[in-house]
Amino acid sequence: MPGRIQSIERAAAILRLLASGARGLSLAEISRSLELPKGTALGILRTLQHVGFVEQDPESGRYRLGGGMLSLGTRYLDGNELRTRALNWADTLASRSGESVRIGTPHKHQVLVVHHVFRPDSTRQTLDVGALLPLHATALGKVLMAFDPLVVPEEVTSVETDAPVRLTTFTRHTVASMATLEGRLDEIREQGWGWEAEELVDGEVSIAAPIRDRRGVTVGAIGVRGAVERLRDDSGRPDMEQVSYVRDAARAISRELGVTPY
Amino acid sequence: MSQQYVAAIDQGTTSSRCILFDRDGRIVSVDQREHRQIFPKPGWVEHDALEIWTNVEAVVQKSLQKSDITPDQIAAIGITNQRETTLLWDKKTGEPVHNAIVWQDTRTDALVHALGAEKGQDRFRSKCGLPLATYFSGPKIRWLLDNVDGLRERAERGELLFGTMDTWLIWKMTGRHVTDVTNASRTMLMNLQTLDWDEEILEAMGIPESLLPEIRSSSEVYGVSKGYLAGTPVASSLGDQHAALFGQTCFDPGDVKGTYGTGSFLVMNTGTEPITSQNGLLTTLGYKIGDAPAVYALEGSIAVTGALVQWLRDNLGIISTAPEIETLARTEDDNGGCYIVPAFSGLFAPHWRSDARGVIAGLTGYVNKGHIARAVLEASAWQTREVVDAMNADSKIDLTTLKVDGGMTADNLLMQILSDVLDAEVVRPMVAETTCLGAAYAAGLAVGYWPDIETLRANWHKAAEWNPKMEPEVREREYHNWNKAVQRTLGWVEHDEK
């Protein structure tokens, strides 16, 4: 493991300092507060200015947080808003795939179901909006993990030693090794969608794809879940027609998020 | 033979759309175009009928091209439309003689009072099911004849034609001058029993019958289209709320649909006899399929539902987007004793009190914005409850299921609260575009694309369902409190402040 990089630590300290003051700070104030030579502070400020994290007031010459920093802070998307924007597309996916549809967002090391569309048949089904699903045993969760480095299973954060992480198993197919899971996540990043077979419930398969906002940040995932005989083909691969329906829906919702809300 | 589709044209208040449906009732393609809202004076709203026609032609063509569908693959065209909006045009040239007067336009206010004379707003109600109000087409026709130079004379000479937007589009497409029973039922000029123009009302309103289109069923071939879809039968016409009733497959007496947008519209199928409401609802046509008997309906509209959420967003700034209301409301488990009655411009069905104004009642130091957000959602639910109670009383049928559609159905908490206060199941169908679907269904039935309404019923699938979880004592207590809040809105406007 390489050592810590001092200039990044200093840059972080400058950002924290700027975030605490509303009126902006002069170069002298910044170098004094952080006990940095003026030249060093100026170099870091100019770099941060270049990437849009800091801006300088042309009148007073004071520094403050830039627009690039503020947009990092708004990466949170309200789950109810996501559902509203996704409503028609999720219905279309359920109708084309003939399976139930769920949209999930990351929530405290789990997947929060923010939207659920029933499978279009006459069976009795119950709405499970608000339910929490495990990250590593669902297609929704795998996709969220693959495209957002901050989304990790609980087990990863609680282990303090270097011992291999063991994930909770739900069936004999659940991937319990973090190393194996990492391999699967690489595949998902490569192909742009994810799936699992019987890892959460015996006899069930789920397929999911990421929903991205206008900055390309993954804010959720949409997927179908259904019987293994319907969603998996003879070669043991997921039904590619279903995969294309899921990806179409994810793309349509991502496009929808690119426009300003009503 | 290549795959066939049905095209539904939805000529709405702000835009025109065309949606293509396949045999399973699934959306295949959509195109939409907005038109200008023309405001010549405060309270006046007009549309340019030629602009609307150009848009309709464009969205039809575009919706086919988007999905590589050719005109010969369209089995039928169905039409649904903003209701009551009134147009007069020259029979020979086809040129509108004035902009269309839109349903929201209030220029007929004084005229409507004068028409009521000593008998009041219910003068024609027993015949046409409607009270005298500015929305309906009859008074708008009369206003045009009285106020636009030469129109009265030209109308008497039989040179002019009247139509709501369905009639205008069908005339442009096929050259036939027809309307359907649902659109005709919003003019105030049709007799609900005979389903024909009522001579006595025409006489009283001073409208020559030569202006009026022939009244037909909602589902039959009116004529064959010219232009891009040349040769395709134009086979349905339904006002938007009636189309939604049909699209929600509310085919049995007692079936109710609720469309939740900025305002909300509840419509109940009451079977083949019209019911005159004793409880402030409108009697209207549900639909009429070909030669089958007409199906009637009771309608109750709520002026402010989603608009209250927008008010919280735009006027108070408590939320930044409408869907956030649910997030905020979920921060509390109840309303904290707070009730909001959004009588922004009086109370509509079933109260009909123009002297009412909105209140926020039950405020204490304990109430926070989470409670207020809950009270906002509950306001939509209790207003629905009032209309449903009126429907149950008039129809003698108790509601068991409310079929919902519209933008606000994305709010899961609202749907749960609705189910709780109605003590009924609330279901959302898979295709949220029930208005277009209804028009498509009616057109498809007329040409045999779908064999019967049982097939349509089989196409209907639940996307979600909510069931009541509220204890009966809580429901009763909350309804009691809501009613107390409603009482406090009444009589707020003491003089005619206009």
Side-chain angles (χ1 to χ4, degrees), chain B residues 151-318:
Chain B
L151 287 195
R152 166 71 63 189
E153 295 71 26
R154 291 170 72 186
E156 304 287 356
R157 286 200 299 268
E159 295 172 14
L160 301 183
L161 298 178
F162 152 79
T164 39
M165 297 319 285
D166 58 314
T167 304
W168 170 241
L169 296 183
I170 296 172
W171 191 81
K172 287 299 261 185
M173 279 190 270
T174 69
R176 307 290 173 89
H177 189 227
V178 297
T179 188
D180 92 300
V181 290
T182 67
N183 277 296
S185 77
R186 312 301 291 191
T187 59
M188 296 198 75
L189 307 176
M190 186 183 78
N191 186 306
L192 285 176
Q193 292 292 347
T194 64
L195 302 182
D196 207 343
W197 304 116
D198 188 279
E199 280 175 27
E200 197 186 310
I201 302 178
L202 290 179
E203 174 82 32
M205 287 209 194
I207 295 170
E209 193 168 349
S210 65
L211 280 176
L212 305 178
E214 187 188 342
I215 301 174
R216 307 277 284 269
S217 79
S218 318
S219 169
E220 64 177 80
V221 177
Y222 307 121
V224 170
S225 177
K226 299 177 278 194
Y228 182 68
L229 290 182
T232 310
V234 179
S236 77
S237 160
L238 285 154
D240 50 14
Q241 298 308 324
H242 315 262
L245 181 77
F246 200 67
Q248 283 274 26
T249 64
C250 290
F251 300 147
D252 294 321
D255 285 353
V256 181
K257 75 90 196 172
T259 302
Y260 288 84
T262 53
S264 294
F265 293 89
L266 284 114
V267 182
M268 177 190 246
N269 178 327
T270 59
T272 51
E273 285 298 322
I275 294 177
T276 304
S277 177
Q278 305 302 316
N279 296 283
L281 303 173
L282 305 181
T283 308
T284 194
L285 261 295
Y287 52 86
K288 184 178 189 309
I289 301 305
D291 295 331
V295 169
Y296 293 85
L298 283 169
E299 174 173 324
S301 43
I302 307 167
V304 180
T305 50
L308 180 59
V309 178
Q310 290 165 357
W311 180 79
L312 215 67
R313 180 194 66 192
D314 301 336
N315 295 33
L316 300 189
I318 292 178

Side-chain angles (χ1 to χ4, degrees), chain A residues 103-168:
Chain A
I103 293 178
T105 56
H107 181 83
K108 292 180 185 158
H109 309 291
Q110 287 176 295
V111 182
L112 173 67
V113 177
V114 298
H115 186 43
H116 173 194
V117 183
F118 290 169
R119 187 176 57 249
D121 57 27
S122 45
T123 57
R124 189 155 183 91
Q125 299 164 68
T126 344
L127 212 56
D128 63 7
V129 173
L132 291 166
L133 304 173
L135 281 173
H136 65 282
T138 58
L140 291 174
K142 286 179 207 268
V143 164
L144 292 174
M145 281 192 288
F147 295 101
D148 187 339
L150 295 178
V151 178
V152 288
E154 181 89 70
E155 292 88 341
V156 174
T157 56
S158 56
V159 172
E160 282 166 14
T161 62
D162 284 343
V165 175
R166 299 301 296 174
L167 302 161
T168 316

Side-chain angles (χ1 to χ4, degrees), chain B residues 96-172:
Chain B
V97 297
H98 193 273
N99 279 334
I101 303 183
V102 180
W103 58 275
Q104 304 124 318
D105 187 299
T106 55
R107 75 184 67 184
T108 54
D109 200 18
L111 176 63
V112 158
H113 277 97
L115 285 170
E118 67 278 8
K119 289 172 197 141
Q121 63 174 18
D122 283 342
R123 178 174 175 192
F124 305 114
R125 192 167 186 140
S126 61
K127 290 185 137 186
C128 71
L130 307 173
L132 273 158
T134 58
Y135 299 116
F136 307 117
S137 316
K140 292 185 200 292
I141 301 174
R142 168 68 179 269
W143 187 94
L144 284 165
L145 297 181
D146 285 355
N147 291 277
V148 182
D149 271 350
L151 287 195
R152 166 71 63 189
E153 295 71 26
R154 291 170 72 186
E156 304 287 356
R157 286 200 299 268
E159 295 172 14
L160 301 183
L161 298 178
F162 152 79
T164 39
M165 297 319 285
D166 58 314
T167 304
W168 170 241
L169 296 183
I170 296 172
W171 191 81
K172 287 299 261 185

Side-chain angles (χ1 to χ4, degrees), chain A residues 76 78 80-81 83-84 87-88 91 94-96 114-122 124-125 127 129 261-262, chain B residues 26 313 321-324 326-327 407 409-412 425 428-433 461-467:
Chain A
Y76 162 81
D78 188 290
N80 294 316
E81 180 156 5
R83 181 192 318 116
T84 303
L87 202 65
N88 281 337
D91 281 359
S95 158
R96 291 174 82 187
V114 298
H115 186 43
H116 173 194
V117 183
F118 290 169
R119 187 176 57 249
D121 57 27
S122 45
R124 189 155 183 91
Q125 299 164 68
L127 212 56
V129 173
Y262 65 88
Chain B
R26 295 186 295 207
R313 180 194 66 192
T321 66
E324 274 177 30
E326 182 175 354
T327 314
T409 56
D411 193 314
N412 280 15
E425 177 188 59
R428 184 175 81 77
M430 193 74 83
V431 176
E433 301 288 357
H461 294 297
K462 262 181 214 179
E465 167 191 309
W466 293 268
N467 290 291

Side-chain angles (χ1 to χ4, degrees), chain A residues 133-143 170-171 173-175 181 184 188 191 193-208 224-228 231-232 236 238:
Chain A
L133 304 173
L135 281 173
H136 65 282
T138 58
L140 291 174
K142 286 179 207 268
V143 164
F170 301 94
T171 68
H173 299 285
T174 312
V175 173
L181 182 62
R184 298 275 173 90
I188 293 173
Q191 64 197 16
W193 54 274
W195 78 300
E196 57 81 18
E198 305 190 86
E199 290 192 44
L200 182 64
V201 180
D202 278 317
E204 286 192 6
V205 164
S206 67
I207 303 170
V224 295
R225 163 169 291 278
V228 60
L231 290 177
R232 192 168 65 181

